[in-house]
Amino acid sequence: MTDRTRRSLLGHLAPALLVVMWSSGFVGATFAAPVAPAATTLLWRYVVAGTLMVVVVLALGRRYGARYLRREAVLGALGQAGYLYGVFRAVEEGLPAGTAALLASLQPALVAVVMSGFGRGRGAGRGRAVGRGSGGGRRQAVGLAVGFAGVALAVGPDVAAGNGAAGALWAVLGMLSLSASTVLGDLWPAPDEPGEHDVLDSLAVQGVVALGIFAVLALASGQAAPPADPTFWLAIAWLVGLAFLGGYGMYLYVQRTRGPVAVSTWLYLTPAVSAAWAWAMFGQDLPLLTVAGFVVSLAGVLLTRPTRRAADETRPGVPAASVRSGP
């Protein structure tokens, strides 16, 4: 098989691999929950992943100024530490992986509505604005309402019965933390510094910040020591190899070859894939009402997608939330 054929094959398979790898983060949280608290799992995930990222950026000779580090530290605390702790605690409370992914998938829709309230759209931060009363803003608001209706279908019966309410609350808090990071990242311009910073730099700096936060949390709660169960290290290998390296690796490849709009759209398939994966691996129930909720929520978030014209205008940039929308 020639190099050109391999590249062509990878190009065709990359979106599907992206969805599978990105979904693996929610499954990995379910994998780890029975053997370790969320703080322990997240601490050791970032010990491994953060060390790898530091080695990479040092090998590449990357340099960061104080203003860049300050901005990325705040965004990392919200977008990685806050978001992931919410998701992992949700799964720890018994929320199914697919439902956790479903709640997380509403983040881009919520951000679109919030940013339209600021008079900013997908091109915000690059000199483009969207009027507060624009048709796009109304469509995004409808999409968000439809998305929440889908969530109500998926989790409403269990929450009404008193099951899964705590998990759903943690997932919502995590999603709100990620949304705050995304909005702040758009309103807080990156400083002009020598050299260009990209997704790799953000992941490295934010990963180190998240490591520090989870270290403090785990030590303060007496949960820093890893359990003796070998399943824990299988879960860490899963979360680093599949969710972090595989998921982010496929994200970067699809973003580079197909653009940020395409990669965000593919990620909307992760809730259903996460649910199917959890059903196959852990025997989690997949009721018809939950499947219906997935479909309705997918329709809602797709309504928030920018029009073709808006997508063409913002294609050279990368949405701030896209690299932080999964565990």
Side-chain angles (χ1 to χ4, degrees), residues 10-11 13-19 22 122 126 196-203 246-267 305 311 314-325:
L10 179 60
L13 294 178
L17 290 173
L18 167 67
V19 173
W22 205 263
R122 302 290 291 190
R126 290 181 296 276
E196 292 186 2
H197 296 135
D198 55 22
V199 175
L200 173 64
D201 300 300
S202 292
L203 289 179
Y248 283 122
M250 283 296 101
Y251 168 81
L252 292 172
Y253 181 83
V254 175
Q255 176 228 307
R256 184 173 66 249
T257 57
R258 301 197 178 202
V261 172
V263 75
S264 297
T265 302
W266 279 101
L267 290 181
R305 302 304 304 149
T314 60
R315 188 177 181 85
V318 179
S322 297
V323 299
R324 297 187 292 274
S325 57

Side-chain angles (χ1 to χ4, degrees), residues 5-323:
T5 303
R6 290 193 189 95
R7 287 195 297 270
S8 177
L9 181 60
L10 179 60
H12 288 298
L13 294 178
L17 290 173
L18 167 67
V19 173
V20 172
M21 295 294 187
W22 205 263
S23 302
S24 71
F26 299 96
V27 179
T30 304
F31 194 19
V35 298
T40 308
T41 302
L42 288 166
L43 168 61
W44 287 97
R45 165 186 167 149
Y46 275 97
V47 166
V48 177
T51 300
L52 288 174
M53 295 300 296
V54 169
V55 169
V56 170
V57 297
L58 288 177
L60 294 175
R62 301 296 179 97
R63 296 289 184 269
Y64 310 118
R67 289 188 299 168
Y68 180 80
L69 291 174
R70 183 166 54 247
R71 178 180 183 271
E72 293 301 316
V74 174
L75 299 183
L78 291 169
Q80 292 209 33
Y83 167 65
L84 287 176
Y85 188 69
V87 169
F88 275 66
R89 279 300 305 271
V91 173
E92 188 176 67
E93 293 288 343
L95 192 70
T99 306
L102 178 64
L103 288 164
S105 74
L106 291 178
Q107 182 266 343
L110 177 60
V111 169
V113 173
V114 172
M115 293 310 298
S116 70
F118 282 101
R120 301 163 74 94
R122 302 290 291 190
R126 290 181 296 276
R128 299 183 182 93
V130 177
R132 295 174 186 267
S134 69
R138 288 191 296 270
R139 178 169 56 82
Q140 290 166 351
V142 171
L144 181 61
V146 172
F148 276 117
V151 170
L153 278 175
V155 304
D158 285 340
V159 172
N163 302 320
L169 177 60
W170 275 112
V172 169
L173 290 174
M175 185 267 290
L176 291 175
S177 183
L178 178 60
S179 300
S181 173
T182 303
V183 173
L184 184 60
D186 194 274
L187 298 177
W188 186 356
D192 292 327
E193 295 183 356
E196 292 186 2
H197 296 135
D198 55 22
V199 175
L200 173 64
D201 300 300
S202 292
L203 289 179
V205 176
Q206 292 181 22
V208 170
V209 170
L211 170 58
I213 291 173
F214 290 129
V216 171
L217 181 62
L219 289 169
S221 60
Q223 297 176 333
D229 194 325
T231 302
F232 175 77
W233 294 110
L234 290 175
I236 295 299
W238 178 291
L239 288 166
V240 174
L242 294 180
F244 192 83
L245 298 178
Y248 283 122
M250 283 296 101
Y251 168 81
L252 292 172
Y253 181 83
V254 175
Q255 176 228 307
R256 184 173 66 249
T257 57
R258 301 197 178 202
V261 172
V263 75
S264 297
T265 302
W266 279 101
L267 290 181
Y268 288 140
L269 298 178
T270 56
V273 174
S274 298
W277 206 342
W279 169 78
M281 290 184 61
F282 310 116
Q284 291 186 353
D285 291 337
L286 195 59
L288 183 60
L289 197 59
T290 299
V291 175
F294 290 157
V295 173
V296 173
S297 288
L298 177 62
V301 293
L302 288 178
L303 279 173
T304 69
R305 302 304 304 149
T307 63
R308 180 177 297 275
R309 179 179 178 182
D312 290 341
E313 289 177 350
T314 60
R315 188 177 181 85
V318 179
S322 297
V323 299

